[in-house]
Amino acid sequence: MRAITVKPGVAGSARLATVDDPRPAAGQALLATIEVGICGTDHEILAGGHGEAPRGSPWLIPGHECLARVLEAPEGCGLRPGQLVAPTVRRPCGQPRCYPCAHDHPDMCISLQYTERGIQGAHGYQCERFAEWPRYLVPLPDGFADFGVLMEPTSVVTKAIEEAARVQRARLAWEPQRALVTGAGPVGLLAAMLLRLRHLDVTVYDRDAADHPRAQAVRALGAAYVCSADAELAQVAGADGVDWIVECTGARALVFGALQALAPAGVLCLLGVSGAGVSLEVPADAINLGLVLRNGLVFGSVNASREAFAQAGQSLAVAEANWPGWLAGLVSVRVPPADVASAIGGGPERIKTAVRWAG
Amino acid sequence: MRAITVKPGVAGSARLATVDDPRPAAGQALLATIEVGICGTDHEILAGGHGEAPRGSPWLIPGHECLARVLEAPEGCGLRPGQLVAPTVRRPCGQPRCYPCAHDHPDMCISLQYTERGIQGAHGYQCERFAEWPRYLVPLPDGFADFGVLMEPTSVVTKAIEEAARVQRARLAWEPQRALVTGAGPVGLLAAMLLRLRHLDVTVYDRDAADHPRAQAVRALGAAYVCSADAELAQVAGADGVDWIVECTGARALVFGALQALAPAGVLCLLGVSGAGVSLEVPADAINLGLVLRNGLVFGSVNASREAFAQAGQSLAVAEANWPGWLAGLVSVRVPPADVASAIGGGPERIKTAVRWAG
């Protein structure tokens, strides 16, 4: 079958290759890939900065944002041929001490010995077909054909949003009103969507001009968009601060700016992954004092459990009912597998690019 | 009656003065102060750096760590004359938007318009007698006479510890093993005590030499003490990191060091208040990346609800049963009210100083 392969650590090594067909083990399902989204992690892998091939393989099949269709499924597993599914990404580490992995939460793995399909130690989904255990496949309604590829990024954001709500409810009678999302990429837009589904007053802050398709997508949700050229983050937050901030850029100035933009008893979720290991002069005492005297809370979040995938599916269904066509509009560019170079290129008008494997 | 008074903002203005006796309103109780502990906030107030007098008063009676005895109590309020009590400190703001204050959690006040007895806008307890509403008085057993003055700092630590446990349980099946406390002052020692009551493997890290009374107090709990002259924080944390860190110094290098000492899915409670507004060069990208990719969580905590006071009372009772005399040993110096200067001075062998008002 056809697959994209990369040599981890080697920039520009991505190829459309012919590889062996998958051979499902007893109990596994066989899936046909429909399309696979490309995110910042993929860009890093394709640039040679991240990724790890499975043991014994010189190359890695990348791709972890996948919409697929069941070709064959074991009897009694609840999946039927033809059904749409989204596969999860991270697999449990199996280490005896790792209670999160033992509790179906490899997203919270404490040994860091997990594998991730398409990223770390396991092949991903940028290929025509793959085999998987049914427990790692989340069934989707047929209506998800046009936007089901957003399941994985939505699951990551859902995990963070649900975690923030649970954590805040665990420490106070929380009634948030104002939310701020830094970054208007796919993760920021999906965060804004989930926060709007919670009826919050949402502002998205990024560098794009106000007429950029991403800014338009923000406004289509009934959220506000502020371009960083027009206002400092502190001005957007105002004197009262913001109850709920989701940081989706990893830009160090925004991360530490967001810390200071929090309202008393507010929560800041960090979803953005920082790049180069650069230091920054920060108002260390003011940050500490603000967090302590105002009961601030900050947490980082990565990956998603199967539970978060299931919740993401529910949220996508509600979002599609509220804003028909909005989700499909996020997948702004679709390319054939042969067009790997343009798929990793990106362009100013793009929101999410996906590689299309089957109709 | 006699009271210590200070002029907020004026260093060295503390006096032992004669002031009007308290006049309880209908429904209030009248209390006789037994003793009042002195903490870092008091030092700041006495140094003119903090504190706010009640409206219409040129001076403030400081003191918020109080053990008192009921002199008179309204019928049916559950308090009897002679009973030991600890009064809480913060009073609700009464602002319509502030749901935490409306839910008996002024410790989480979001308007920041609260008052605090002895600190901000209300007289404290460094005086012979005071009036208070029964709902702000936490009854204590007679056995608390020797260490009940520790109720307030214990309540502050209890709030943070309980909040950390609730927050962590809200986001994962948490089974912490290793805990680290930075700072061996009274707050750090009480944090170590509460973590030992949870059967954790606890290390306390501070500047004092290993034979200092504070280091001895740490070891008496079955915890380890490490002097910062002997090891870096990163060495103490080790490669695996620490599940649960309680930062009690506010020292900027320790705050940001602790962030990097967290184990995956770990929690860092910030309890230490930073001083001067100094900036620090921090590895911003590494901190963000660590929090995101390892699901780290950090929160600041201040003050305590009545509920936390009640829990603190239970913990003190269990601690006294486990380590008899340990708590009383923390109140290492007691001074008469006339001796304000020495009470705020401190000395190398001191752990907690209290002003003694009545036998």
Side-chain angles (χ1 to χ4, degrees), chain B residues 276-302:
Chain B
V278 174
S279 292
L280 182 70
E281 177 103 359
V282 300
D285 289 344
I287 287 173
N288 185 61
L289 207 62
L291 283 172
V292 172
L293 296 188
R294 297 163 72 122
N295 292 292
L297 187 144
V298 187
F299 70 97
S301 180
V302 67

Side-chain angles (χ1 to χ4, degrees), chain B:
Chain B
M1 68 169 179
R2 293 176 305 154
I4 295 172
T5 62
V6 297
K7 292 194 174 162
V10 182
S13 64
R15 299 281 179 272
L16 182 59
T18 300
V19 303
D20 289 344
D21 271 12
R23 274 173 287 178
Q28 282 192 320
L30 180 66
L31 295 302
T33 306
I34 298 174
E35 55 189 8
V36 179
I38 292 183
C39 79
T41 300
D42 296 301
H43 286 230
E44 276 185 58
I45 292 172
L46 299 174
H50 195 54
E52 181 192 323
R55 198 174 294 180
S57 169
W59 40 261
L60 169 74
I61 300 176
H64 58 278
E65 300 184 356
C66 179
L67 175 67
R69 197 178 291 282
V70 175
L71 291 174
E72 301 164 14
E75 261 188 66
C77 79
L79 298 171
R80 54 175 172 72
Q83 173 150 38
L84 291 182
V85 296
T88 65
V89 177
R90 191 178 283 188
R91 302 292 170 257
C93 67
Q95 300 291 313
R97 238 207 95 205
C98 186
Y99 46 85
C101 280
H103 286 82
D104 279 333
H105 274 276
D107 58 309
M108 301 298 276
C109 177
I110 60 166
S111 78
L112 307 181
Q113 302 297 306
Y114 54 79
T115 56
E116 287 179 334
R117 289 200 69 160
I119 303 173
Q120 184 169 313
H123 287 314
Y125 308 115
Q126 289 285 20
C127 55
E128 288 182 272
R129 289 178 294 283
F130 62 94
E132 190 49 275
W133 303 99
R135 65 178 170 279
Y136 301 130
L137 299 169
V138 179
L140 303 175
D142 292 341
F144 275 42
D146 290 344
F147 54 80
V149 70
L150 297 172
M151 275 291 288
E152 197 278 339
T154 307
S155 75
V156 169
V157 183
T158 297
K159 173 194 165 180
I161 296 279
E162 294 288 327
E163 186 172 326
R166 282 201 309 275
V167 155
Q168 288 290 89
R169 283 195 302 257
R171 69 193 195 111
L172 76 155
W174 199 43
E175 296 174 14
Q177 301 188 358
R178 289 185 67 203
L180 171 68
V181 177
T182 50
V187 169
L189 289 171
L190 291 168
M193 178 194 85
L194 293 178
L195 292 165
R196 284 294 298 142
L197 288 180
R198 288 173 172 266
H199 307 294
L200 288 162
D201 169 4
V202 177
T203 301
V204 178
Y205 184 81
D206 204 341
R207 285 175 300 195
D208 300 316
D211 61 349
H212 190 282
R214 289 198 274 244
Q216 293 170 17
V218 167
R219 286 191 294 270
L221 294 169
Y225 179 81
V226 175
C227 172
S228 56
D230 297 332
E232 299 287 330
L233 194 61
Q235 290 173 264
V236 177
D240 289 343
V242 181
D243 301 314
W244 191 339
I245 307 182
V246 185
E247 204 297 304
C248 305
T249 70
R252 64 198 77 91
L254 285 182
V255 171
F256 287 87
L259 268 171
Q260 298 172 274
L262 272 184
V267 62
L268 166 60
C269 327
L270 301 175
L271 272 172
V273 175
S274 291
V278 174
S279 292
L280 182 70
E281 177 103 359
V282 300
D285 289 344
I287 287 173
N288 185 61
L289 207 62
L291 283 172
V292 172
L293 296 188
R294 297 163 72 122
N295 292 292
L297 187 144
V298 187
F299 70 97
S301 180
V302 67
N303 199 259
S305 65
R306 188 192 158 101
E307 183 188 3
F309 267 81
Q311 290 172 312
Q314 292 171 8
S315 294
L316 288 179
V318 177
E320 177 63 11
N322 277 5
W323 306 290
W326 185 86
L327 289 165
L330 296 190
V331 190
S332 51
V333 178
R334 288 183 162 94
V335 299
D339 208 355
V340 175
S342 77
I344 65 174
E349 299 297 292
R350 291 185 178 184
I351 299 179
K352 167 68 76 182
T353 297
V355 176
R356 187 82 182 167
W357 288 90

Side-chain angles (χ1 to χ4, degrees), chain A residues 5 50 78-79 84 108 118 160 228 242 267 302 323:
Chain A
T5 62
H50 196 52
L79 297 171
L84 291 182
M108 302 298 275
S228 56
V242 180
V267 63
V302 68
W323 304 291

